[in-house]
Amino acid sequence: MPTLEKIRENNNNCGLNVADPANLTITNGIISIFDGNVLMPDEQQILEEILQVLKPWRKGPYSIFGRYIDAEWQSNLKWNRLFGESGIFSDDFLQNKIVADIGCSNGYYMFRMLEHNPKCVVGFEPQEQAFFSFQLFQRYIQDTRIAFELLGVEYIPHFKDVFDVVFCMGIIYHRRNPLKMLQEIRGAMQAGGTLILESLVIEGSESIALFPTERYCQMKNVYFMPTAECIKSMMLRAGFRNVEIKQINKLSTNEQRKTDLGPGQSLSDWLNSDETKTIEGYAPPFQAIITGLA
C-alpha cells in the first residue's frame, strides 16, 4: 500500500475545494458529490490516483465527480435493513439525537445518518486510511454535524453518559474482551439510549460461540464467532435492558464481493463451492441485528 504521506499529498491536491452540505446527494444508496461537474483531464488523473492510494474501499457505494466507487460491501443493503421501507427503525428515530458510530470505517453510515437529522454524529475509527477516505468527501461537504475521531472503541470510556444512540456494526467479534467493550459502551450512553449492534454470527439457538483456531473466513483478527443468542446474553450481562434480536440473515456474496477498488479477495474466495462452510471448514457467516437499551 502507498505511504500515508502519498495519501496526504494527493488528498491535499484534489481539484475543487467547495465546502457546502448541498454538495451531497444520496440516490439509491449511492453517496455522491459533484456528479454534475466535469473535471479536466489532469484533475481526473489526480482523482484516480487518490482513489487508488485509498484502496481498498471497504464501505460504499460512493460517487465523486461522476466516478463511481464500487466498494467491497454494498453497505446500502445493510442500511436498508435498518432504515429502509421495511427497516427496523422509523425515519425520525435519529432526529436530534447524539449518535456514535463505533468502527465507522470511511464514514458511509455517518453520511447516511445525515438524512435523518441527528444533532451530531461522532465516528470512532483508528485506521488512518479510513479517515482520509472519509475526508475526501467531508472536505467538500463540511457538514458540522459529523466528526471523525481517529480513535478505537477502547477510548469510548472518555465519553461518559454522552450518546443517545450507538451503532456498533461489524466490531464485536474482533474484540478480545467483548463483554468489557459492551460495558464501556453502556457507560458512554445516556439512560434509555439505544445500542444498535450488528455482527457476523453463526446459526444456532443456543448461547454459544465458535473460537477459530487461527482464522475465520481468512480474517486473522476474529477472536470468536457467536450466535445471535450469545450476543444477546452478553448485552444482558453488560447491563442492557429490553435486548432483542431484530433480524438474522445469511451473508450474501452479492453484499460482500470483489470490486475494482476493493480488496483482491472477498467472501466468495473464503467459502467452499456450495457456500455451506468457510474454507477453514467452519459454519458460514450470517448477519444479525440486536438492539438494547442502556
Side-chain angles (χ1 to χ4, degrees):
M1 178 178 174
T3 64
L4 291 173
E5 288 74 16
K6 179 67 172 175
I7 295 174
R8 291 189 181 98
E9 177 187 350
N10 279 343
N11 232 340
N12 288 333
N13 289 336
C14 182
L16 296 174
N17 187 13
V18 182
D20 183 354
N23 292 330
L24 172 68
T25 60
I26 301 174
T27 306
N28 296 325
I30 304 170
I31 295 171
S32 304
I33 57 172
F34 295 125
D35 265 3
N37 291 76
V38 178
L39 296 179
M40 299 296 290
D42 58 333
E43 293 175 325
Q44 289 177 343
Q45 182 177 350
I46 291 172
L47 174 60
E48 194 61 35
E49 288 178 4
I50 292 171
L51 297 181
Q52 293 298 326
V53 297
L54 290 172
K55 288 172 60 176
W57 284 80
R58 298 286 187 182
K59 308 297 183 185
Y62 289 96
S63 180
I64 178 169
F65 299 109
R67 172 60 160 98
Y68 182 64
I69 301 172
D70 193 9
E72 177 188 15
W73 284 85
Q74 294 201 73
S75 305
N76 54 309
L77 301 181
K78 183 183 296 185
W79 187 254
N80 289 343
R81 291 194 286 271
L82 294 170
F83 288 96
E85 290 184 3
S86 58
I88 296 169
F89 301 99
S90 63
D91 285 345
D92 62 354
F93 178 74
L94 298 180
Q95 187 168 340
N96 295 320
K97 300 290 179 60
I98 301 172
V99 183
D101 184 1
I102 296 174
C104 67
S105 186
N106 59 34
Y108 177 85
Y109 298 116
M110 291 168 53
F111 288 121
R112 294 301 305 268
M113 291 176 201
L114 295 179
E115 299 176 286
H116 301 270
N117 299 312
K119 181 178 293 184
C120 70
V121 180
V122 181
F124 293 83
E125 175 60 62
Q127 299 296 324
E128 283 194 299
Q129 178 225 24
F131 168 76
F132 286 111
S133 301
F134 164 81
Q135 195 62 24
L136 178 60
F137 284 79
Q138 174 67 342
R139 75 192 300 269
Y140 295 120
I141 301 164
Q142 293 194 13
D143 194 307
T144 58
R145 293 173 295 171
I146 55 176
F148 189 115
E149 295 289 347
L150 205 55
L151 302 171
V153 66
E154 60 270 20
Y155 289 90
I156 200 72
H158 295 287
F159 297 78
K160 185 172 176 58
D161 302 327
V162 171
F163 300 107
D164 300 301
V165 180
V166 174
F167 290 82
C168 184
M169 300 194 289
I171 299 298
I172 192 167
Y173 49 88
H174 292 309
R175 305 303 299 175
R176 288 185 174 91
N177 193 332
L179 182 59
K180 180 183 178 183
M181 182 194 77
L182 289 170
Q183 291 169 329
E184 290 175 344
I185 288 174
R186 182 174 175 273
M189 299 176 65
Q190 296 192 38
T194 302
L195 171 62
I196 301 169
L197 191 149
E198 187 274 344
S199 177
L200 294 183
V201 296
I202 55 172
E203 269 193 305
S205 57
E206 297 179 274
S207 179
I208 58 174
L210 162 71
F211 285 81
T213 304
E214 293 182 359
R215 299 188 178 211
Y216 179 88
C217 273
Q218 286 298 286
M219 294 182 285
K220 62 182 178 181
N221 59 344
V222 171
Y223 295 101
F224 75 118
M225 188 55 57
T227 61
E229 289 290 342
C230 180
I231 294 177
K232 179 179 179 179
S233 296
M234 284 192 290
M235 288 176 62
L236 290 168
R237 289 287 292 271
F240 286 94
R241 300 176 291 108
N242 298 352
V243 178
E244 296 182 61
I245 299 171
K246 293 290 191 178
Q247 193 178 85
I248 302 175
N249 61 278
K250 190 171 184 180
L251 178 58
S252 165
T253 52
N254 176 55
E255 186 166 345
Q256 183 187 19
R257 70 271 193 273
K258 289 185 287 190
T259 62
D260 66 325
L261 290 173
Q265 290 189 328
S266 193
L267 182 61
S268 61
D269 300 292
W270 307 329
L271 299 174
N272 64 7
S273 58
D274 59 2
E275 300 184 4
T276 57
K277 291 185 180 296
T278 71
I279 61 172
E280 299 91 357
Y282 297 123
F286 283 67
Q287 295 169 296
I289 298 171
I290 304 103
T291 63
L293 301 181

